[in-house]
Amino acid sequence: MVEESSRKASGYTQPWFCPSRCKTLHRCRNHSRCRRTKDHAVSTLVRVTQYTCMLLSYLMEHNADKKKLVVKLRQLESNMSSSRKMFRLGNVVHALVAARKTTQMPDVVPRFCLTASNLTRALYFVCDAALWLKSVGLQPDIDKPKWQNWATKFYYVSILMNLARDWYEISWRLEQAVQEVETKANSSWDNHHQELNRVKHDGLHGFLLLLFQILKRHPPLLLDLVKNLCDLSGPLDTLGIYKTNPGVIGFCGILSSLVGILTLASPHLKLQQ
């Protein structure tokens, strides 16, 4: 059973996009974390720009009057991709620290899923760093297609592990909702429990309605699920598992990035690990 994480009440609010002098201006209690949050925010904004360029270039590529603009958009997209690789150079350590932290989780399934996700993400960042060294000419002998393939596979496995964790959370909450219905006396049911009891016997439609209610009552779980599903579109296409097009990948990338920005601006919307 998933343990509900306890949140400590505090009157202090750490700025989500803290300036470099946050110790002086905001009396920040965790300056290193604040700097990592700022770097993550900048990287996310660069990611939004990259996928926006991808989507726009796809939408305009068949317009003869926009060919020059399409070329510029694709060049900007390539530059943003290189910039993101530079921002991610230090993320190997962060992923390994996160993996060590998740090994201490009390619940077996989330512990396995999140630890595996963080470890494969660390390997993805290693491949990404090698590709960056290739792009700037520091290691010209690196086999780019091979490293790109490995990076995509590690990223794909990491997302699958995150989705497995999300499904475990959803399954547990669905089970809790059903048990909640069964333990309530008929005389004390409110409208919410009556609705849960009704959808329990409605087959697929009832399951989807109950799933909608669960996700509606737990926004962090909904946002994490949406982000992981959107992130899945890229590796599925690259690995040839499910081919789409740059328009779909660009749209999913923008949506995933916006969710990331939202969880940075409002940390209570981020699914606890």
Side-chain angles (χ1 to χ4, degrees), residues 23 46 48 66 69 97 108 116 164-165 167 173 215 219 237 263:
K23 279 187 175 180
V46 173
V48 172
K66 304 291 185 180
L69 180 58
V97 171
V108 176
R165 188 269 179 112
W167 178 246
R173 295 186 188 280
L215 294 176
D237 181 80
T263 55

Side-chain angles (χ1 to χ4, degrees), residues 60 73 76 82 84 99 114 132 184 251:
M60 294 187 295
L73 286 172
L76 180 58
S82 300
R84 287 181 60 208
L114 292 178
W132 180 79
K184 290 292 181 177
F251 175 78

Side-chain angles (χ1 to χ4, degrees), residues 137 210 215 241:
L210 182 57
L215 294 176
I241 299 173

Side-chain angles (χ1 to χ4, degrees), residues 25-39:
L25 299 179
H26 299 283
R27 302 191 299 278
C28 186
R29 296 180 182 178
N30 194 335
H31 185 61
S32 59
R33 178 179 295 179
C34 199
R35 290 178 63 87
R36 288 199 301 270
T37 304
K38 178 181 177 181
D39 293 341

Side-chain angles (χ1 to χ4, degrees), residues 69-80:
L69 180 58
V70 169
V71 172
K72 292 181 179 179
L73 286 172
R74 287 177 175 168
Q75 182 62 43
L76 180 58
E77 176 194 338
S78 176
N79 292 338
M80 292 298 102

Side-chain angles (χ1 to χ4, degrees), residues 47-62 70 73-74 77 230 233-234 236-238 242-255:
R47 187 174 189 259
V48 172
T49 305
Q50 176 190 347
Y51 283 110
T52 300
C53 292
M54 181 184 293
L55 178 60
L56 291 176
S57 62
Y58 173 77
L59 294 175
M60 294 187 295
E61 66 180 353
H62 298 297
V70 169
L73 286 172
R74 287 177 175 168
E77 176 194 338
C230 289
S233 62
L236 284 178
D237 181 80
T238 304
Y242 184 80
K243 301 295 290 184
T244 54
N245 57 65
V248 173
I249 298 173
F251 175 78
C252 290
I254 293 172
L255 184 56

